[in-house]
């Protein structure tokens, strides 16, 4: 092998010219052929890095080895050998038609000539995934791992090719788009959003400037073995079957916005390699290596899996969820309280679920006895229809008796409930449903119409029985109503539901986060963890059958039955919990008598703003509330005090938690008063069985690795509890990052503990302001700005590089506030700017460079309360550069 710096290879962005190599090797025909490849061996040696092994990277169609340039970095101590396949990139154009098996053989002959021996981790993309897997099967004695990205190792004969490939493989169109022109290549490059930089696009185009140099692209498309009689079909079947036998550590990194290798190909790979670590990069497309930091993921995965050259791992690392380090809670079957209360003569006929507006009289009550029968009937019907333990079931049902019955039926039989609510918005809900790889979708008609229109996966069941024409049009197999009748008939015939309760450590649910800091993440909870979460919430809120639950945040209604608490959801738009009104809340409270009340944080202001609409009956109902609590974002004390007149007998409690660990800390109004003023919002002491610590930060807001419980030490909040989520669904990198401190869940929130052990939350760690004057949290700035009388709410943004960032404040004012109305912020009046600057300077010690006002700050859809500070910073950066920024 020789070093090369051929004049035909231009300078390319991000690619060190010293990496270029050529090698003359005989191919499967016996003829000498010249290969071009990237070799990082000398690059590592210059830096004194001893390689742990070799990454053998194989590109697909229509790219070349340039795709893998990001794998050359000091935190990847592995020698990279990234080849240009023959007829592709800067390798030789031989004029031969190469089939799939030929390419596997040619690659093996090359690696033999290079004396490439283990440990080898193969890396493949697109066609390179198929070829590198074939090489791995033929050289398994050298292979210790595999990395596959946006590829597919199998295509069922009866399955249609993806539409993009159907068009590309059309004989007349194929050659015209692949070799006569560069349309196929340019279309591939155009899939990335935002668009790839022009110099990167030019780098991919560089080896393919003429028709003669593009014939390999045409050959690859022609070799797609979709038909049973295709010459490459036997090789495809051999490799696909052989992959199931490989037991080496495997990483699957995926861009789900791929019009060719969609999630169905990822799902096929997961079924063939069930032990694989999986990470889906939401928003990334086919060229996932360009659209996301795949190399960063690979660096972490290689170190975690294989160690370093100095400290190699000899066996796969053990993995323990955070909950395994916490105090153990006896695991009771989820829904056990429903059966217990149904069997109790005192409670059997009392309300378990109240639906407002269901009947002409305004409400409908479902007793514990009826709910239990309903759960058992649906469970039996689901099993009879083919829903199996472990199947993922997306529930797109309005909160109420139907959702409760289906959810707890899934828990009963061991199906995994995927809870992605309408509060995520249409795009967020679509990403969640598709990304969960669901087996079944159970929904109301509106959800089923959306599923059909958007191509959501899964076999479909409706809640109520639909007319035949609708059922056929929506692809619905049957209804929950019919399945419940079938299950009830089985019970009447003496065949009760006789299946064991699920294993406590099996998956129970996938609960999606709000998406306030990026795409919503699916937090996987086992039955043991979910049961512990119910216990933590019940203990914190003191819920019982005698005290019902008004769930002003719809998904919280799902907790009621597990806690043995009658539940009602107020009359409200569940996608906009911040618009809950005082009259609607009063009606829900009145339906239960003296319940506990839960609302989203953003609802508090609206409840107070609409209190004047209450009549005497409504005020009496509100006064009967026994307790009030709100979670999702820290609640300032002045808002809790504002509710005292409406609910004078209610104990005001603000728990702190998150989807991943619903109850972490809690504090009542008396506790807030006792804590006094401080930096951030005091959320109280840990609830039972929860431990809290702080990961210290450096001057630029990065965690240092030191864990402390010292008072006043600001850093990322760490949590340990038996109800911390098991993992994030198909987000290996995110799971790894959140568990980088062994035995702790890193929350992504920043705060500190005080002398009394109380936790103060100061915002998101990603939003910490790293200024020239030091680190500041966004809450410090926002609280200071909100101290100005006319300011309703403030959002802190930053511009500039970390360490010298400057602070911008964007305000909602009492006069100009318009909920949900997007607008372009405008400079605040001079007097308001001066007041905000002075308040922030005096209270937080921060200089503010600009102050703007807007109708409504951008927040997450679910809670309507978590300010999107990243969006504020992007807007401020563009605006202060003189660019025209979009509305917030």
């Amino acid at each position: 092998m020789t070093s090369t710096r051929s004049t035909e290879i231009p300078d390319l962005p991000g690619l060190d010219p010293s990496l270029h190599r050529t090698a003359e090797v005989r191919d499967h025909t016996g003829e000498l052929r010249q290969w071009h490849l990237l070799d990082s061996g000398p690059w590592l040696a210059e830096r004194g890095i001893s390689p742990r092994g070799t990454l053998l990277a194989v590109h697909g169609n229509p790219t070349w080895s340039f795709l893998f340039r990001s794998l050359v970095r000091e935190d990847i101590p592995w020698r990279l050998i990234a080849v240009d396949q023959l007829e592709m990139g800067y390798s030789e154009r031989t004029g031969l038609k190469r089939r799939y098996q030929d390419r596997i053989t040619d690659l093996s002959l090359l690696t033999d000539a290079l004396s490439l021996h283990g440990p080898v981790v193969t890396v493949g993309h697109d066609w390179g995934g198929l070829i590198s897997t074939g090489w791995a099967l033929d050289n398994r004695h050298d292979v210790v791992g595999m990395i596959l990205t946006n590829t597919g190792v199998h295509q069922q004969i009866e399955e249609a090719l993806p539409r993009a490939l159907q068009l590309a493989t059309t004989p007349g169109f194929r050659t015209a788009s692949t070799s006569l022109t560069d349309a196929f290549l340019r279309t591939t490059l155009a899939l990335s959003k935002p668009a790839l930089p022009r110099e990167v696009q030019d780098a991919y185009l560089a080896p393919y400037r003429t028709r003669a140099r593009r014939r390999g692209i045409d050959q690859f498309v022609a070799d797609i073995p979709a038909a049973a009689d295709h010459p490459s079909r036997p090789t495809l079947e051999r490799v696909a079957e052989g992959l199931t036998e490989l037991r080496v550590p495997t990483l699957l990194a995926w861009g789900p916005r791929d019009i060719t290798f969609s999630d169905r190909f990822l799902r096929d790979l997961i079924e063939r390699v069930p032990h694989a670590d999986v990470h889906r990069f939401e928003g990334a497309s086919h060229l996932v290596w360009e659209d996301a930091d795949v190399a960063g993921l690979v660096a972490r995965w290689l170190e975690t899996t294989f160690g370093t050259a100095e400290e190699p791992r000899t066996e796969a690392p053990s993995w323990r969820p955070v909950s395994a380090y916490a105090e153990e809670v006896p695991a009771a079957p989820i829904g056990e309280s429903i059966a217990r209360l149904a069997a109790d003569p005192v409670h059997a006929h009392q309300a378990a679920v109240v639906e407002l507006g269901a009947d002409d009289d305004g409400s409908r009550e479902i007793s514990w006895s009826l709910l239990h029968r309903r759960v058992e009937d649906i469970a039996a019907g689901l099993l009879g229809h083919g829903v199996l333990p472990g199947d993922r079931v997306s529930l797109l049902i309005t909160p109420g008796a139907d959702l409760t019955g289906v959810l707890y039926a899934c828990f009963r039989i061991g199906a995994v409930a995927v809870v992605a609510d309408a509060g995520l918005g249409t795009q967020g809900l679509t990403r969640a449903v598709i990304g969960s790889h669901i087996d079944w979708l159970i929904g109301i008609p509106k959800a089923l119409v959306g599923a059909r229109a958007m191509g959501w996966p899964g076999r479909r069941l409706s809640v109520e029985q639909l007319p035949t024409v609708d059922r056929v049009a929506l692809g619905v197999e049957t209804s929950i109503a019919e399945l419940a009748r079938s299950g009830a008939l089985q019970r009447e015939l003496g065949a009760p539901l006789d299946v064991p309760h699920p294993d406590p450590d099996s998956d129970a649910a996938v609960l999606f986060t709000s998406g306030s800091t990026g795409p919503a993440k699916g937090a996987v909870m086992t039955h043991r963890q979910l049961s512990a979460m119910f216990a933590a919430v019940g203990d914190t809120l003191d819920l019982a059958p005698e005290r019902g639950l008004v769930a002003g945040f719809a998904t919280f209604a799902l907790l009621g039955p597990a806690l043995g608490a009658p539940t009602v959801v107020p009359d409200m738009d569940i996608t906009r919990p911040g618009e809950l009104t005082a009259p609607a809340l009063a009606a829900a409270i009145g339906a239960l008598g003296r319940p506990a009340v839960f609302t989203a944080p953003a609802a508090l202001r609206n409840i107070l703003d609409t209190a004047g609409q209450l009549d005497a009956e409504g005020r009496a109902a509100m006064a009967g509330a026994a307790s009030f609590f709100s979670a999702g974002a820290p609640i300032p004390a002045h808002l809790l005090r504002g509710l005292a007149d409406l609910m004078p007998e209610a104990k005001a409690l603000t728990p702190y938690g998150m989807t991943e660990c619903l109850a972490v800390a809690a504090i009542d109004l008396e506790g807030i008063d006792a804590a006094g003023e401080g930096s951030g919002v005091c959320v109280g002491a840990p609830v039972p069985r929860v431990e809290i610590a702080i990961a210290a930060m450096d001057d630029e807001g990065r965690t240092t690795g030191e864990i402390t419980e010292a008072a006043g030490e600001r850093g990322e909040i760490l949590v340990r509890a038996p109800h911390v989520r098991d993992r994030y669904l198909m987000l290996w990198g995110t799971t790894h990052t959140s568990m980088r401190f062994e035995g702790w869940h890193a929350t992504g929130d920043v705060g500190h503990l005080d002398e009394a052990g109380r936790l103060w939350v100061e915002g998101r760690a990603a939003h910490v302001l790293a200024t020239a004057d030091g680190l500041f949290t966004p809450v410090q700035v926002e609280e200071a700005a909100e101290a100005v009388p006319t300011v309703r709410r403030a959002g802190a943004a930053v511009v500039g590089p970390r360490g010298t960032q400057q602070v911008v404040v964007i305000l909602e004012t009492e006069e100009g506030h318009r909920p949900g109305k997007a607008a372009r912020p405008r400079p605040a009046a001079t007097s308001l700017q001066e007041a905000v600057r002075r308040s922030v300077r005096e209270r937080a010690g921060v200089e503010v460079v600009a102050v703007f006002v807007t109708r409504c700050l951008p927040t997450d859809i679910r809670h309507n309360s978590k300010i999107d500070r990243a969006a504020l910073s992007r807007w401020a950066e563009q605006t202060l550069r003189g660019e025209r920024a979009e509305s917030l």
Side-chain angles (χ1 to χ4, degrees):
M1 184 166 67
T2 60
S3 174
T4 181
R5 187 65 180 96
S6 171
T7 56
E8 71 172 325
I9 303 180
D11 288 327
L12 299 170
L15 182 58
D16 188 328
S18 69
L19 300 175
H20 294 291
R21 297 285 185 276
T22 58
E24 284 198 342
V25 179
R26 297 189 185 279
D27 68 0
H28 69 281
T29 69
E31 296 294 325
L32 278 174
R33 308 297 187 188
Q34 186 176 76
W35 292 72
H36 169 261
L37 52 91
L38 304 180
D39 179 6
S40 70
W43 187 93
L44 293 172
E46 287 177 5
R47 289 155 179 79
I49 300 173
S50 299
R52 175 71 179 84
T54 300
L55 301 179
L56 177 62
V58 187
H59 68 85
N61 190 33
T63 58
W64 58 288
S65 58
F66 177 75
L67 182 74
F68 301 113
R69 67 194 182 282
S70 58
L71 290 174
V72 182
R73 44 193 283 172
E74 293 190 5
D75 61 348
I76 298 183
W78 290 67
R79 177 191 183 192
L80 173 69
I81 296 291
V83 304
D84 285 359
Q85 299 192 59
L86 293 173
E87 325 302 333
M88 301 291 286
Y90 287 101
S91 285
E92 184 178 345
R93 302 306 194 261
T94 69
L96 291 180
K97 181 181 293 185
R98 296 180 188 274
R99 298 292 186 187
Y100 180 13
Q101 182 57 57
D102 299 335
R103 293 190 177 279
I104 295 173
T105 303
D106 290 343
L107 183 60
S108 290
L109 291 170
L110 171 65
T111 55
D112 286 347
L114 297 178
S115 299
L116 192 106
H117 302 297
V120 172
V121 173
T122 59
V123 183
H125 175 260
D126 190 90
W127 259 105
L130 285 82
I131 294 165
S132 64
T133 301
W135 183 92
L137 289 171
D138 294 346
N139 298 269
R140 62 185 73 194
H141 52 284
D142 287 321
V143 175
V144 296
M146 295 190 301
I147 299 171
L148 296 172
T149 61
N150 285 68
T151 186
V153 298
H154 197 256
Q155 167 79 27
Q156 296 287 354
I157 296 296
E158 64 275 11
E159 286 182 326
L161 281 173
R163 290 181 181 178
L165 289 185
Q166 290 180 34
L167 178 63
T169 54
T170 303
F173 183 80
R174 190 196 75 218
T175 299
S177 64
T178 57
S179 58
L180 281 175
T181 69
D182 60 5
F184 184 82
L185 174 53
R186 289 186 181 274
T187 299
T188 301
L189 297 176
L191 294 176
S192 294
K193 304 295 181 188
L196 299 179
R198 172 53 56 190
E199 61 270 21
V200 172
Q201 296 186 47
D202 289 343
Y204 279 108
L205 291 165
Y208 301 111
R209 291 296 184 185
T210 66
R211 178 183 180 183
R213 295 195 62 81
R214 290 192 294 266
R215 286 200 178 99
I217 298 176
D218 190 359
Q219 291 176 14
F220 258 127
V221 175
D223 199 36
I224 296 173
D229 60 351
H230 192 285
S232 290
R233 187 74 197 189
T235 306
L236 182 75
E237 298 289 351
R238 176 181 72 84
V239 172
E241 182 62 29
L243 180 58
T244 64
E245 302 170 2
L246 284 177
R247 293 292 182 265
V248 296
T250 302
L251 174 64
L252 307 177
W254 215 263
R257 288 183 59 253
D258 191 336
I259 62 174
T260 302
F261 292 109
S262 63
D263 268 72
R264 74 177 169 97
F265 289 95
L266 173 59
R267 184 164 185 166
D268 175 75
L269 283 169
I270 293 172
E271 290 174 355
R272 295 176 189 278
V273 193
H275 64 272
D277 296 314
V278 183
H279 191 102
R280 295 173 76 255
F281 288 97
E282 283 292 353
S285 65
H286 182 66
L287 295 180
V288 63
W289 289 88
E290 299 294 344
D291 297 347
D293 184 19
V294 179
L297 178 76
V298 168
R300 283 178 285 164
W301 184 78
L302 289 171
E303 182 174 351
T304 300
T305 307
F306 301 107
T308 63
E310 295 76 19
E311 299 181 11
R313 291 187 185 275
T314 57
E315 58 184 29
S318 59
W319 182 86
R320 296 176 67 199
V322 171
S323 58
Y325 295 83
E327 178 184 336
E328 187 172 349
V329 177
I334 299 174
E336 179 272 336
S337 60
I338 299 175
R340 174 172 48 81
L341 292 170
D344 184 344
V346 175
H347 297 102
H349 301 293
Q350 294 180 350
V353 179
V354 178
E355 295 184 335
L356 296 179
D359 293 332
D360 292 339
D361 63 359
S363 67
R364 177 167 68 113
E365 293 187 356
I366 293 87
S367 68
W368 291 106
S369 176
L370 178 58
L371 179 59
H372 176 59
R373 289 200 305 272
R374 183 76 171 169
V375 169
E376 294 285 297
D377 291 345
I378 295 173
L382 290 173
L383 280 173
H385 191 68
V387 179
L388 300 175
D391 281 0
R392 291 189 191 136
V393 183
S394 178
L395 306 180
L396 301 176
I397 309 171
T398 305
D402 290 326
L403 176 57
T404 303
V406 175
L407 175 68
Y408 284 87
C410 288
F411 290 153
R412 176 66 182 87
I413 66 175
V416 182
V418 176
V419 183
D421 61 274
L424 295 177
T426 302
Q427 290 186 345
L429 184 58
T430 298
R431 285 194 298 265
V433 172
I434 293 176
S436 297
H437 291 190
I438 60 172
D439 300 288
W440 302 85
L441 187 150
I442 304 175
I444 59 176
K446 182 179 180 180
L448 294 169
V449 170
R452 185 73 167 183
M454 299 180 187
W456 292 351
R459 297 168 62 181
R460 296 170 195 161
L461 306 175
S462 62
V463 177
E464 295 298 326
Q465 188 170 352
L466 301 177
T468 301
V469 63
D470 292 344
R471 182 171 56 81
V472 173
L474 297 175
V476 171
E477 297 180 9
T478 186
S479 68
I480 293 300
E482 292 170 292
L483 293 180
R485 284 193 289 270
S486 173
L489 180 60
Q490 294 177 39
R491 286 156 51 90
E492 291 173 6
L493 295 176
L497 184 64
D498 187 22
V499 294
H501 286 281
D503 185 294
D505 294 316
S506 62
D507 291 349
V510 181
L511 309 177
F512 275 83
T513 63
S514 66
S516 60
T517 55
K521 302 180 288 291
V524 181
M525 306 286 288
T526 66
H527 283 262
R528 186 187 304 278
Q529 292 158 352
L530 202 57
S531 177
M533 184 187 76
F534 292 147
V537 173
D539 291 347
T540 302
L541 306 179
D542 192 25
L543 292 179
E546 293 75 22
R547 178 183 295 179
L549 172 66
V550 173
F553 175 39
T555 53
F556 221 84
L558 304 178
L559 300 178
L563 299 170
T567 304
V568 60
V569 177
D571 182 12
M572 59 184 286
D573 181 351
I574 63 173
T575 68
R576 303 197 66 82
E579 297 180 6
L580 173 63
T581 65
L585 181 60
I589 294 173
L592 293 180
R594 289 186 53 78
V597 178
F598 176 86
T599 72
L604 302 184
R605 288 186 176 89
N606 204 51
I607 292 169
L608 293 173
D609 289 346
T610 57
Q613 302 172 16
L614 290 169
D615 56 19
E617 183 180 354
R619 286 189 173 276
M622 294 283 277
S627 63
F628 171 84
F629 54 101
S630 183
I635 309 301
H638 70 272
L639 287 179
L640 293 178
R641 292 191 184 97
L643 295 165
D645 289 340
L646 293 178
M647 293 180 276
E649 298 183 23
K651 179 180 180 180
L653 187 71
T654 173
Y656 164 70
M658 57 218 68
T659 304
E660 298 90 335
C661 184
L662 196 54
V664 173
I667 192 169
D668 58 20
L669 190 52
E670 291 75 14
I672 293 175
D673 289 336
E677 293 189 359
S679 178
V681 178
C682 183
V683 296
V687 302
R689 298 179 293 278
V690 172
E691 300 173 62
I692 298 175
I694 301 296
M697 287 181 164
D698 62 19
D699 291 340
E700 293 191 1
R702 292 186 292 257
T703 53
T704 62
E706 177 189 356
I707 298 176
T708 180
E709 296 179 23
E713 182 72 40
R714 178 181 293 135
E716 185 172 2
I717 299 169
L718 307 180
V719 174
R720 174 183 293 159
H723 53 285
V724 171
R725 60 100 188 98
D726 192 72
R727 64 193 185 281
Y728 291 114
L729 184 64
M730 288 183 282
L731 288 171
W732 181 90
T734 307
T735 301
H736 182 268
T737 298
S738 70
M739 296 174 62
R740 64 191 185 277
F741 302 100
E742 185 176 0
W744 295 95
H745 169 67
T747 65
D749 289 334
V750 64
H752 67 275
L753 295 166
D754 64 15
E755 295 287 351
R758 293 172 299 219
L759 177 65
W760 293 71
V761 178
E762 303 180 62
R764 295 290 295 173
H767 300 158
V768 167
L769 318 176
T771 73
D773 296 324
L775 287 183
F776 299 91
T777 61
V779 171
Q780 288 177 284
V781 174
E782 290 161 359
E783 286 187 332
E786 289 168 0
V788 176
T790 59
V791 174
R792 176 185 177 90
R793 186 163 58 166
V798 289
V799 296
R802 293 191 68 79
T804 59
Q805 288 177 329
Q806 295 180 305
V807 178
V808 175
V809 176
I810 302 176
L811 311 172
E812 288 177 7
T813 62
E814 296 291 351
E815 182 178 328
H817 176 61
R818 295 179 64 185
K821 299 293 184 181
R824 187 174 292 109
R826 65 185 188 280
T830 301
S831 60
L832 180 57
Q833 290 199 41
E834 291 176 352
V836 169
R837 285 193 171 105
R838 182 169 56 252
S839 182
V840 174
R841 183 187 308 116
E842 293 174 355
R843 292 169 176 265
V846 180
E847 292 294 333
V848 174
V849 298
V851 181
F852 296 88
V853 294
T854 188
R855 294 174 182 170
C856 185
L857 290 169
T859 61
D860 65 298
I861 297 173
R862 177 186 287 173
H863 298 289
N864 290 165
S865 60
K866 297 180 179 179
I867 297 172
D868 189 347
R869 299 186 183 98
L872 296 183
S873 294
R874 287 193 298 271
W875 181 91
E877 190 86 48
Q878 290 177 305
T879 300
L880 295 184
R881 282 203 305 260
E883 301 173 5
R884 181 175 174 80
E886 296 296 323
S887 298
L888 288 173

